[in-house]
Amino acid sequence: MEQYKQEFIEFMVDCQVLKFGDFVTKSGRKTPFFVNTGFYRTGAQLRRLGEYYARAIHDKFGLEFDVLFGPAYKGIPLTVAATIAISELYGTDIRYCSNRKEVKDHGDKGILLGSPIQDGDRVVLIEDVTTAGTSIQETLPIIRAQGDVQPVGLAVSVDRMERGTGTKSALKEIEEKYGLQTTAIVTMAEVVEHLYNREYKGRVIIDDEMKKAIDAYYEQYGAK
């Protein structure tokens, strides 16, 4: 596993973004782990988060794209942080763009903020965690309405590796339904690999009992 992936897993734990215990997802599934990106709350945290996204995007898509698009609202700081990081790490100036929930009819008018999307643009989308692909379903028509553009792929922070609407993972469903490549900074398999029976800052985060709970969850909800 790449060093930046290991660092990102520990970064999520430090920020209390990744937690283990008893939780219920929005879809009603009882889960022993939970990812809440709302706990990235400082400038330093966003700077590091942008760097991890930049590395994952570079590894999967290279830098052969023009615009990084982050759906409102959580995608707005993600796209800003990641484009800054891409510039600093790789010396490439990628444009950023997000949508508004409400169309603005004065000043900087329209549904988009940041850079306009133009004919011929290659667009990579960025999100926090995708479980059902609802945001992509809402976002792609907005992007395609801007002109003759090419949606290239989707980058998320964590691949939960559980079923979407069918038996395949949400990311695999997005790939097949929309023709997009997808990538994640880390998968939950990598999280377990890195933290299982390993002491981190004085405690074992995934012990045998938690590992059994995670295995049972994937037995019930894991993607096939």
Side-chain angles (χ1 to χ4, degrees), residues 158-172:
V158 180
D159 180 358
R160 288 181 59 96
M161 300 177 64
E162 59 191 78
R163 297 198 309 267
T165 57
T167 60
K168 299 178 180 179
S169 72
L171 290 184
K172 180 59 68 174

Side-chain angles (χ1 to χ4, degrees), residues 1 5-14 18-20 33 186-201 203-208 210-211 214:
M1 189 191 316
K5 289 176 177 279
Q6 299 178 37
E7 293 174 358
F8 179 64
I9 293 166
E10 295 171 2
F11 174 62
M12 286 194 293
V13 172
D14 290 341
L18 174 63
K19 296 182 179 181
F20 296 89
F33 60 89
V186 293
T187 66
M188 276 306 299
E190 290 171 328
V191 170
V192 173
E193 174 190 339
H194 185 60
L195 294 179
Y196 177 47
N197 273 347
R198 175 177 173 271
E199 188 172 297
Y200 177 65
K201 292 189 174 179
R203 64 189 181 102
V204 175
I205 297 170
I206 300 180
D207 56 15
D208 289 336
M210 180 54 64
K211 178 66 161 53
I214 294 171

Side-chain angles (χ1 to χ4, degrees), residues 91-162:
T92 300
D93 208 16
I94 300 293
R95 288 149 43 213
Y96 81 90
C97 181
S98 295
N99 64 297
R100 295 183 171 97
K101 290 288 189 180
E102 305 83 19
V103 178
K104 190 176 179 185
D105 59 4
H106 62 282
D108 183 16
K109 297 181 180 179
I111 196 171
L112 301 182
L113 55 87
S115 171
I117 299 177
Q118 306 164 352
D119 284 350
D121 279 342
R122 298 157 297 178
V123 183
V124 170
L125 293 89
I126 184 171
E127 287 196 332
D128 53 356
V129 180
T130 295
T131 52
T134 305
S135 178
I136 295 299
Q137 184 176 345
E138 296 171 349
T139 301
L140 279 179
I142 295 172
I143 293 174
R144 288 178 169 144
Q146 308 308 309
D148 182 16
V149 302
Q150 179 187 351
V152 174
L154 167 69
V156 301
S157 61
V158 180
D159 180 358
R160 288 181 59 96
M161 300 177 64
E162 59 191 78

Side-chain angles (χ1 to χ4, degrees), residues 29-97:
R29 296 175 180 176
K30 293 184 178 180
T31 173
F33 60 89
F34 198 73
V35 180
N36 184 354
T37 58
F39 277 85
Y40 296 122
R41 292 175 173 173
T42 73
Q45 289 171 350
L46 282 178
R47 182 186 182 92
R48 287 188 63 187
L49 179 61
E51 291 173 352
Y52 294 126
Y53 267 111
R55 294 184 187 280
I57 290 168
H58 176 266
D59 284 358
K60 180 68 174 185
F61 306 115
L63 298 172
E64 297 302 313
F65 65 98
D66 306 291
V67 180
L68 189 62
F69 187 95
Y73 288 105
K74 285 186 178 180
I76 296 174
L78 296 181
T79 190
V80 172
T83 50
I84 291 172
I86 289 171
S87 174
E88 292 179 342
L89 291 174
Y90 303 110
T92 300
D93 208 16
I94 300 293
R95 288 149 43 213
Y96 81 90
C97 181

